């Protein structure tokens, strides 16, 4: 049986982060977070940066990358429909932020998914 070139793929990834001088001077931890998941059927990457002025920004960015990865993974594996991604992501995010921290855990989050045999 002849293999299609698309049947195999190699994914290389690298991430880097730098703690800003202001954060260093103020004793604020680095609030950058990332996650990368790869299986033959999909690859998911999510990166987030906490809003530096918020007390729980690191918790927010960590929760955001995990929520994005888990929601897209659930979709890729068929346990949720495409229309459920946003609600699932929101639910994962809210469930990982400690109660009372939500209003002070601001973050930006970017995520991407490459899914085989699925549209997104």
């Amino acid at each position: 049986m002849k293999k299609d070139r698309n049947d195999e793929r190699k994914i290389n990834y690298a991430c880097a982060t730098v703690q800003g001088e202001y954060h260093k001077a103020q004793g604020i931890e680095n609030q950058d977070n990332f996650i990368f998941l790869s299986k033959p059927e999909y690859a998911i990457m999510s990166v987030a940066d906490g809003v530096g002025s918020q007390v729980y920004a690191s918790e927010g960015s960590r929760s955001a990358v995990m929520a994005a990865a888990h929601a897209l993974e659930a979709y890729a594996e068929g346990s949720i429909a495409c229309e459920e991604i946003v609600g699932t992501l929101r639910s994962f995010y809210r469930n990982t932020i400690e109660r009372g921290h939500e209003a002070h855990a601001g973050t930006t989050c970017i995520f991407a998914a490459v899914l085989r045999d699925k549209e997104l």
Side-chain angles (χ1 to χ4, degrees), residues 9-34:
R9 67 179 161 191
K10 183 177 181 180
I11 298 174
N12 295 310
Y13 70 95
C15 294
T17 182
V18 176
Q19 184 179 22
E21 293 302 317
Y22 177 80
H23 284 138
K24 285 181 190 176
Q26 299 298 314
I28 300 170
E29 68 179 303
N30 188 334
Q31 301 160 344
D32 299 339
N33 281 284
F34 73 93

Side-chain angles (χ1 to χ4, degrees), residues 2 6 9-12 18 21 32-34 37 42-43 49 53 61 67 71 78 81 96 98 101-102 106 108 117:
K2 185 177 176 183
N6 294 326
R9 67 179 161 191
K10 183 177 181 180
I11 298 174
N12 295 310
V18 176
E21 293 302 317
D32 299 339
N33 281 284
F34 73 93
L37 303 174
Y42 59 84
D49 183 16
S53 61
S61 66
T96 57
E98 192 172 320
H101 292 189
E102 303 93 335
T108 59
D117 300 328

Side-chain angles (χ1 to χ4, degrees), residues 23 28 31 50-57 104:
H23 284 138
I28 300 170
Q31 301 160 344
V51 176
S53 61
Q54 296 205 340
V55 179
Y56 304 112
H104 306 287

Side-chain angles (χ1 to χ4, degrees), residues 57-99:
S58 182
E59 182 181 352
S61 66
R62 187 172 42 256
S63 296
V65 297
M66 296 300 291
H70 289 309
L72 291 170
E73 184 177 42
Y75 171 69
E77 293 185 355
S79 43
I80 64 169
C82 187
E83 299 78 24
E84 297 174 283
I85 293 173
V86 172
T88 301
L89 193 155
R90 184 181 302 122
S91 178
F92 278 137
Y93 179 75
R94 287 184 176 160
N95 288 333
T96 57
I97 298 283
E98 192 172 320
R99 185 178 293 272

